[in-house]
């Protein structure tokens, strides 16, 4: 049996699934981040399963010399130093297939909430206000939706947009990304020329830090609605707020923020957050796009399948 340390909360079905593929778990979600290196060194672990509790760096890997694989229970791997894993000969497995459907559905929900003023209208009715004309909304049908990134999440969103009779365009800098019939792959200049909505679906990496910035947004011909269900750090929030204030952005729906630890915001981040949380054309949620009961279980299944393939090599 391959011994594996789990340091974050996981769906309770995980131990049985991994037992079937020859992996025994030490399930320790009680560990604090500072305790993980000691726990990792206590046994000859071949595997480590994480969500977001720690950054997996060369320093952490040094405490687990027997490690063969690290599993990220989710899609993003921005807390994983992939170069350090490669240098140590450790395989990285993640599970974007596990929560892509949840993200795709949620992005549709954010788009509808933004177009139809659902959140604002709800607050007003609860306050005894009945404002029909002020909440007249837009329809998705006939719009051109631009996707920045066409991996698992972008494809899942595009699939769900097919019912709306809209045009879906996608740009991805990776030449190996495969097209399908749910969207048309275009160049970035064409996306900027045609899109009326920009939905962000790129992973975070140092190269993608503030990829969506003032320069990129200034290249769009239309005043945009903007959705972000990816990572907050890929979007320059200073540019976002400035363009919302000037009306160059018609609205924004954000499931992710530049700093999601709200008690630690810098003065500049706090000022931007204060604007976003009070703006009537902004919808906010706490990074829950991929967070469904079904995805919680499905991530287990994806990891079990990938571990079975890895163990059989």
């Amino acid at each position: 049996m391959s011994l594996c340390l789990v340091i974050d909360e996981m769906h309770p079905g995980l131990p049985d699934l991994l037992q079937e593929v020859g992996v025994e778990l030490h399930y320790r979600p009680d560990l604090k981040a500072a305790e993980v290196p000691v726990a990792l060194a206590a046994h000859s672990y071949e595997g480590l399963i994480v969500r977001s509790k720690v950054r997996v760096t060369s320093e952490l890997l040094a405490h687990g010399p027997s490690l063969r694989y690290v599993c990220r229970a989710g899609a993003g791997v921005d807390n994983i130093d992939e170069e350090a894993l490669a240098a140590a000969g450790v395989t990285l497995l993640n599970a974007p297939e596990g929560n892509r459907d949840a993200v795709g559905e949620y992005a549709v929900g954010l788009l509808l909430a933004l177009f139809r003023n659902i959140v604002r209208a709800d607050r007003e009715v609860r306050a005894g206000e009945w404002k029909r004309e002020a909440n007249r909304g837009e329809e998705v049908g006939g719009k051109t939706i631009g996707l920045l990134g066409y991996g698992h999440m972008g494809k899942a969103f595009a699939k769900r947009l097919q019912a709306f009779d809209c045009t879906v365009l996608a740009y991805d800098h990776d030449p190996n990304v495969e097209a399908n019939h749910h969207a048309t792959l275009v160049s970035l200049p064409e996306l900027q020329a045609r899109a009326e909505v920009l939905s962000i679906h790129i992973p975070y990496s140092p190269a993608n830090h503030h990829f969506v910035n003032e320069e990129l947004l200034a290249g769009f011909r239309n005043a945009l609605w903007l959705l972000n269900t990816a990572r907050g750090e890929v979007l320059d929030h200073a540019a976002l707020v400035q363009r919302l204030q000037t009306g160059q952005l018609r609205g924004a729906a954000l499931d992710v923020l530049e700093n999601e630890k709200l008690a630690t915001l810098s003065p500049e981040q706090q000022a931007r957050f204060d604007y976003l949380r009070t703006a009537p054309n902004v919808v906010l949620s706490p990074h829950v796009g991929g967070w469904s009961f079904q995805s919680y279980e499905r991530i287990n299944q994806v990891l079990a399948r990938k571990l079975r393939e890895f163990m059989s090599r």
Side-chain angles (χ1 to χ4, degrees):
M1 295 290 284
S2 174
L3 191 60
C4 179
L5 176 64
V6 182
I7 63 169
D8 286 284
E9 292 284 350
M10 296 289 294
H11 187 277
L14 184 65
D16 288 343
L17 279 174
L18 295 193
Q19 184 82 18
E20 294 173 5
V21 301
V23 176
E24 178 185 350
L25 298 185
H26 282 185
Y27 188 64
R28 295 294 310 279
D30 58 298
L31 288 171
K32 295 181 173 60
E35 299 171 330
V36 172
V38 175
L40 190 59
H43 298 274
S44 296
Y45 290 112
E46 291 190 355
L48 174 67
I49 298 180
V50 303
R51 284 190 184 275
S52 304
K53 181 178 290 182
V54 299
R55 284 192 55 77
V56 180
T57 62
S58 57
E59 290 79 11
L60 182 64
L61 294 174
H63 293 273
S66 299
L67 283 175
R68 297 175 57 211
Y69 56 90
V70 170
C71 299
R72 166 70 169 91
V77 293
D78 40 296
N79 63 322
I80 311 289
D81 185 336
E82 295 185 64
E83 290 185 2
L85 262 67
V90 177
T91 296
L92 174 61
L93 305 172
N94 69 329
E97 303 92 335
N99 59 4
R100 63 187 174 191
D101 290 338
V103 172
E105 290 183 8
Y106 198 78
V108 172
L110 288 180
L111 181 61
L112 293 175
L114 195 59
F115 270 19
R116 303 306 300 271
N117 304 312
I118 292 171
V119 177
R120 184 177 72 199
D122 174 77
R123 286 196 300 260
E124 291 170 351
V125 173
R126 290 173 188 271
E129 301 172 0
W130 196 263
K131 300 180 179 179
R132 295 189 69 216
E133 183 58 35
N135 285 301
R136 188 186 294 272
E138 296 278 350
E139 294 183 8
V140 179
K143 296 289 192 303
T144 299
I145 314 296
L147 310 182
L148 185 62
Y150 203 56
H152 288 284
M153 309 306 165
K155 284 183 169 70
F157 184 34
K159 178 180 179 181
R160 285 151 180 82
L161 288 171
Q162 295 308 295
F164 288 94
D165 194 26
C166 58
T167 298
V168 184
L169 307 177
Y171 165 73
D172 199 300
H173 77 279
D174 184 350
N176 296 315
V177 165
E178 296 182 357
N180 60 22
H181 63 281
H182 298 311
T184 301
L185 286 178
V186 298
S187 66
L188 183 56
E190 184 173 352
L191 191 81
Q192 291 174 305
R194 297 175 60 188
E196 297 167 273
V197 174
L198 176 64
S199 186
I200 302 172
H201 299 280
I202 58 176
Y204 180 76
S205 68
N208 281 344
H209 184 78
H210 287 182
F211 185 89
V212 182
N213 53 25
E214 174 58 33
E215 181 180 2
L216 183 91
L217 292 172
F220 282 87
R221 181 176 301 170
N222 299 308
L224 292 171
W225 287 272
L226 186 146
L227 311 178
N228 191 5
T229 54
R231 287 292 188 268
E233 299 94 332
V234 304
L235 172 62
D236 182 347
H237 282 56
L240 167 71
V241 168
Q242 191 275 332
R243 287 193 158 259
L244 284 167
Q245 290 173 330
T246 61
Q248 293 165 307
L249 280 178
R250 301 183 65 175
L254 310 173
D255 184 46
V256 290
L257 294 174
E258 58 183 335
N259 182 354
E260 296 177 1
K261 297 179 180 177
L262 299 183
T264 70
L265 298 181
S266 69
E268 294 81 9
Q269 290 172 338
Q270 186 67 57
R272 292 191 286 268
F273 179 64
D274 287 342
Y275 175 82
L276 293 171
R277 70 186 180 89
T278 56
N281 59 341
V282 173
V283 176
L284 301 172
S285 60
H287 202 151
V288 292
W291 211 244
S292 70
F293 291 105
Q294 290 74 27
S295 69
Y296 192 34
E297 184 171 7
R298 196 179 300 119
I299 284 170
N300 283 3
Q301 297 163 354
V302 172
L303 289 180
R305 173 177 58 79
K306 291 187 175 182
L307 273 172
R308 180 183 293 109
E309 293 169 356
F310 173 77
M311 303 293 284
S312 65
R313 292 175 190 172

